[in-house]
Amino acid sequence: ANEKQVLESHTKTPGVLTKLVAVSGQPFLQALNVRNPQRGKTPKNRHVRFTIQENINQGDILLLILWVKGIQGERLYGHTSCIVEQNHQPFKKSLNHTYHPGAEWQQLVLPFEAKANHPALQADFLIYLGYQKQELEIAGLALLNFGSAKYTLNDMPRSTPHPFYSGWQKNAPWRQAAYQRIEKHRKGMLTVQVQDANRQPIPGATVAVKMHQHEFGFGTAVRLPFYVKNKPAAKKYREKVWNVNGDGRTFNLFIPENSLKWPFWERFRWPISHDEIVAFIKQARERGIKIRGHDLLWGGWVDLPRRLKEHSSDPIYIRKEIRQRVLDMAGYEGLKGNVNYWNVINEPLHKVDLERVFNRPPGYLHELAELFRLAKEADPRAKTYVNEYGFLSNGGMNLILQERYRKLVREIEKRGGPVDGVSFQAHMNVRLTPPEVVYQILEEFAVLGKEMGITEYDVVGVNEKLAGDYLRDFLTIIFSYPKMNHFNMWGFWDGAQWLNNAPMFDKKFRLKPAGKAFLDLVFNEWWTSETGRTNSAGELAVNGFFGTYDIEVQYNGRTETKRIQHTALGQPAKVVIDF
């Protein structure tokens, strides 16, 4: 068959629009223009299908080749998946490749091994389109079967993904807008007025305005069972927890990683006492470091005490258990009043065992609303959050999940649940989400009117230099967003991190490029430390980042000091220091 016949052989789901178009300047003359004007309920819900005409045997090595060009999409130039699967039960897949087309033609070369026997006309190649509204073009489609005897997958050529992400360039347009937002939303005028005992201004006094701690949260998860060990590596780990920059400055937000989770708190699997956990939290709070509680409840059996699954058919028993858990934990002596943010429910869109117990919405939504109410009752000062993943990773293309998250928050509030904030896990992978897309996603969540936080940042699948560049850009776009109030890494050291791949330090505590980027931004570029002399009105004004400051005034051989809060709330700060 020629290229026109191959392209014309497609079928499509209702609502998808296709047409053949002429192409010049490429190694093909025809392309299939594909337009999906409406987001699907699932990615597969809207697709284009090509039925495979030849027999394929299990174990055969095949090569799928096609050219793709993005025209437009809700996120950049589109988001698709290339699938080869049976067209009957059990719909076994042999290829599943997710792809973000660019504005220029790119050839995809995708080797795969057949996972089942596919007689002629019983397997399909599909292009999923339901992720979003989008338009793209495909051309040069071919499927080559090399059999099973001569070659392996390692012998096959394959497409190499672009090593960068959109917007990585130094002159990328998003940067200037982000810098302007940081100036507008993260800084403010701080005026120090020096006067004598008669409240007369003192000109010429030397004033040092020294930042002590950020108002915005820059934090990390801390693995407490390792933290308390008597080992050289644990000692070094403790030192970094309290002095990450090497000059006495450190994080201003901690998550006690797994220590507050329900099964671990009950010590089925956790070698650390409640007293040790509370002591760490109190020590942090004494230093002005905020605490994020992770978490009051997960919805999956694997994350709950075993007895709940044993009573899975008894919703009354489970309702009593989960409500008591929230009250006991949020109100626990030493935690109450010291936890600034609670993840009341973690991963509710992915962990659905409890949802099934309560027969799905609306019953489960009522239970979630009640849990938020109880958390606020147990500790009125703690902010209540929902925490989920899958929104900022994978190019930020999961629009369906993002809409479900917004709907969930609305439904909880509709039933009386006081939700203070929404948080985003940020386990990023090789499909690094462009900063401008991260900003777009946050804008779409701003309609909820909630504060926001990043809870679990890390990056896998990219080299250290790229990971460093990306942390710099991701943190910049996050810090620039006014409703965002904290950024938290899911561990800072490779030796105490769930993927053994933390952003900041390797196992020998050597600083990685991403760690250097974090320190440079948080403690240098976004840090205020200025010294000057008061003017004729006895004042010195500094445009400083919001946070805690130590003000030191020297005049006539005397020194006065004061620690103050320079906050984004209220009027420009004015500090009066009397001599």
Side-chain angles (χ1 to χ4, degrees):
N2 61 36
E3 62 178 354
K4 181 178 179 182
Q5 291 171 328
V6 170
L7 295 175
E8 286 181 334
S9 70
H10 73 276
T11 58
K12 58 190 179 181
T13 51
V16 174
L17 306 175
T18 60
K19 63 180 179 180
L20 283 181
V21 296
V23 179
S24 61
Q26 298 295 333
F28 43 84
L29 300 175
Q30 301 275 342
L32 183 67
N33 178 278
V34 180
R35 186 161 67 92
N36 178 39
Q38 190 64 44
R39 196 184 304 165
K41 292 182 179 179
T42 67
K44 187 177 182 178
N45 185 249
R46 288 172 173 261
H47 66 257
V48 172
R49 177 190 303 264
F50 296 86
T51 298
I52 298 171
Q53 306 292 316
E54 306 295 332
N55 292 328
I56 297 174
N57 297 316
Q58 185 173 351
D60 283 355
I61 302 300
L62 299 102
L63 204 60
L64 178 69
I65 302 170
L66 73 156
W67 291 74
V68 184
K69 174 185 177 181
I71 306 298
Q72 60 182 342
E74 292 182 79
R75 296 276 189 267
L76 297 179
Y77 296 99
H79 178 50
T80 66
S81 289
C82 299
I83 309 292
V84 174
E85 69 174 15
Q86 294 172 312
N87 54 23
H88 54 84
Q89 290 287 355
F91 298 101
K92 193 172 186 67
K93 289 179 174 59
S94 295
L95 173 67
N96 187 347
H97 177 80
T98 301
Y99 177 63
H100 304 153
E104 305 296 331
W105 282 108
Q106 183 178 2
Q107 186 183 44
L108 294 186
V109 180
L110 306 175
F112 65 96
E113 179 181 341
K115 303 300 183 184
N117 291 321
H118 301 305
L121 306 179
Q122 293 192 26
D124 296 330
F125 163 56
L126 302 97
I127 300 177
Y128 287 0
L129 301 164
Y131 296 101
Q132 59 174 307
K133 301 174 187 177
Q134 57 184 316
E135 181 182 1
L136 54 87
E137 292 179 356
I138 60 174
L141 177 61
L143 181 63
L144 307 179
N145 189 343
F146 294 89
S148 60
K150 192 172 183 181
Y151 299 106
T152 68
L153 282 178
N154 290 333
D155 297 322
M156 294 290 104
R158 68 181 63 237
S159 300
T160 302
H162 196 284
F164 301 108
Y165 49 92
S166 175
W168 64 272
Q169 303 90 338
K170 289 185 178 180
N171 62 348
W174 68 268
R175 293 188 189 280
Q176 190 59 38
Y179 299 153
Q180 290 172 357
R181 287 193 301 273
I182 289 172
E183 283 292 317
K184 179 179 179 180
H185 298 293
R186 302 301 179 188
K187 298 177 74 176
M189 293 307 300
L190 170 61
T191 301
V192 180
Q193 184 180 64
V194 183
Q195 60 187 24
D196 61 21
N198 297 317
R199 296 187 177 179
Q200 295 301 305
I202 299 179
T206 300
V207 179
V209 179
K210 299 179 181 179
M211 196 170 182
H212 171 71
Q213 200 171 62
H214 272 284
E215 179 179 69
F216 187 94
F218 295 102
T220 182
V222 179
R223 185 166 293 178
L224 292 183
F226 182 80
Y227 172 94
V228 299
K229 287 184 177 181
N230 187 23
K231 291 183 175 182
K235 180 181 178 181
K236 184 71 172 179
Y237 183 68
R238 286 193 294 274
E239 291 174 357
K240 289 294 184 185
V241 165
W242 301 110
N243 183 15
V244 71
N245 199 40
D247 61 4
R249 294 179 289 176
T250 195
F251 308 101
N252 63 348
L253 172 68
F254 289 144
I255 294 180
E257 199 184 37
N258 298 317
S259 297
L260 301 179
K261 294 177 181 177
W262 195 351
F264 303 138
W265 183 257
E266 292 192 354
R267 302 188 66 188
F268 293 155
R269 295 177 281 168
W270 212 241
I272 184 172
S273 71
H274 293 172
D275 288 345
E276 289 173 303
I277 297 170
V278 169
F280 172 82
I281 290 173
K282 286 184 175 180
Q283 184 180 4
R285 296 299 296 127
E286 288 168 0
R287 300 187 184 204
I289 297 170
K290 294 181 179 180
I291 299 294
R292 187 174 183 108
H294 182 71
D295 47 53
L296 293 177
L297 189 69
W298 275 15
W301 300 131
V302 69
D303 309 302
L304 297 167
R306 205 171 302 165
R307 64 182 180 275
L308 269 73
K309 185 176 182 180
E310 294 169 356
H311 289 80
S312 60
S313 61
D314 187 352
I316 295 176
Y317 172 87
I318 291 180
R319 177 180 291 114
K320 179 182 177 182
E321 285 283 309
I322 62 177
R323 291 184 178 184
Q324 197 61 49
R325 153 70 181 180
V326 170
L327 286 170
D328 290 347
M329 199 66 185
Y332 190 86
E333 185 177 354
L335 298 182
K336 181 178 181 179
N338 285 320
V339 174
N340 302 87
Y341 316 99
W342 268 114
N343 291 336
V344 178
I345 182 68
N346 191 46
E347 301 177 2
L349 301 180
H350 290 89
K351 300 296 180 73
V352 297
D353 290 324
L354 287 184
E355 185 177 340
R356 295 189 184 103
V357 169
F358 297 106
N359 297 316
R360 299 191 175 276
Y364 185 56
L365 292 171
H366 174 77
E367 291 303 319
L368 291 183
E370 182 65 12
L371 296 180
F372 274 85
R373 191 190 66 77
L374 292 174
K376 187 64 73 172
E377 174 186 305
D379 188 353
R381 287 182 290 178
K383 297 291 185 69
T384 53
Y385 270 72
V386 189
N387 191 47
E388 253 294 2
Y389 70 90
F391 313 110
L392 301 180
S393 56
N394 288 311
M397 296 295 178
N398 200 333
L399 282 79
I400 297 169
L401 191 67
Q402 292 160 17
E403 181 54 43
R404 287 180 59 203
Y405 195 27
R406 290 191 290 272
K407 182 178 179 181
L408 176 72
V409 174
R410 292 189 187 102
E411 292 294 333
I412 293 173
E413 282 205 304
K414 183 179 176 181
R415 288 160 176 79
V419 181
D420 293 318
V422 293
S423 54
F424 309 88
Q425 297 179 25
H427 299 294
M428 315 304 282
N429 53 28
V430 68
R431 296 186 186 91
L432 295 172
T433 305
E436 60 264 45
V437 173
V438 173
Y439 183 82
Q440 183 181 354
I441 293 169
L442 298 181
E443 282 282 83
E444 291 166 0
F445 275 88
V447 299
L448 296 174
K450 305 298 177 188
E451 58 184 58
M452 303 179 190
I454 301 297
T455 53
E456 302 181 23
Y457 180 87
D458 51 32
V459 175
V460 295
V462 303
N463 63 55
E464 286 193 358
K465 182 183 183 307
L466 183 56
D469 291 343
Y470 190 70
L471 183 139
R472 176 200 64 213
D473 291 349
F474 185 88
L475 192 53
T476 298
I477 204 72
I478 291 299
F479 190 53
S480 80
Y481 196 75
K483 288 185 179 295
M484 189 67 64
N485 63 17
H486 56 275
F487 165 89
N488 195 84
M489 291 178 285
W490 201 242
F492 65 95
W493 173 56
D494 282 359
Q497 207 267 346
W498 72 306
L499 298 173
N500 302 312
N501 188 23
M504 294 196 68
F505 298 98
D506 67 15
K507 286 191 175 180
K508 295 184 179 180
F509 288 96
R510 291 176 298 204
L511 190 65
K512 297 181 180 182
K516 184 178 186 303
F518 180 86
L519 297 180
D520 284 347
L521 288 175
V522 175
F523 299 114
N524 183 16
E525 187 173 332
W526 299 336
W527 196 265
T528 302
S529 182
E530 295 189 21
T531 300
R533 290 184 180 274
T534 54
N535 60 19
S536 59
E539 295 181 347
L540 175 72
V542 172
N543 187 25
F545 287 96
F546 297 122
T548 307
Y549 281 80
D550 290 323
I551 309 297
E552 181 183 276
V553 179
Q554 295 180 355
Y555 184 71
N556 277 351
R558 287 179 54 197
T559 301
E560 294 288 341
T561 61
K562 182 181 285 189
R563 176 163 290 180
I564 61 101
Q565 293 290 330
H566 178 35
T567 177
L569 301 175
Q571 300 299 315
K574 187 171 185 178
V575 185
V576 178
I577 296 182
D578 295 328
F579 270 77

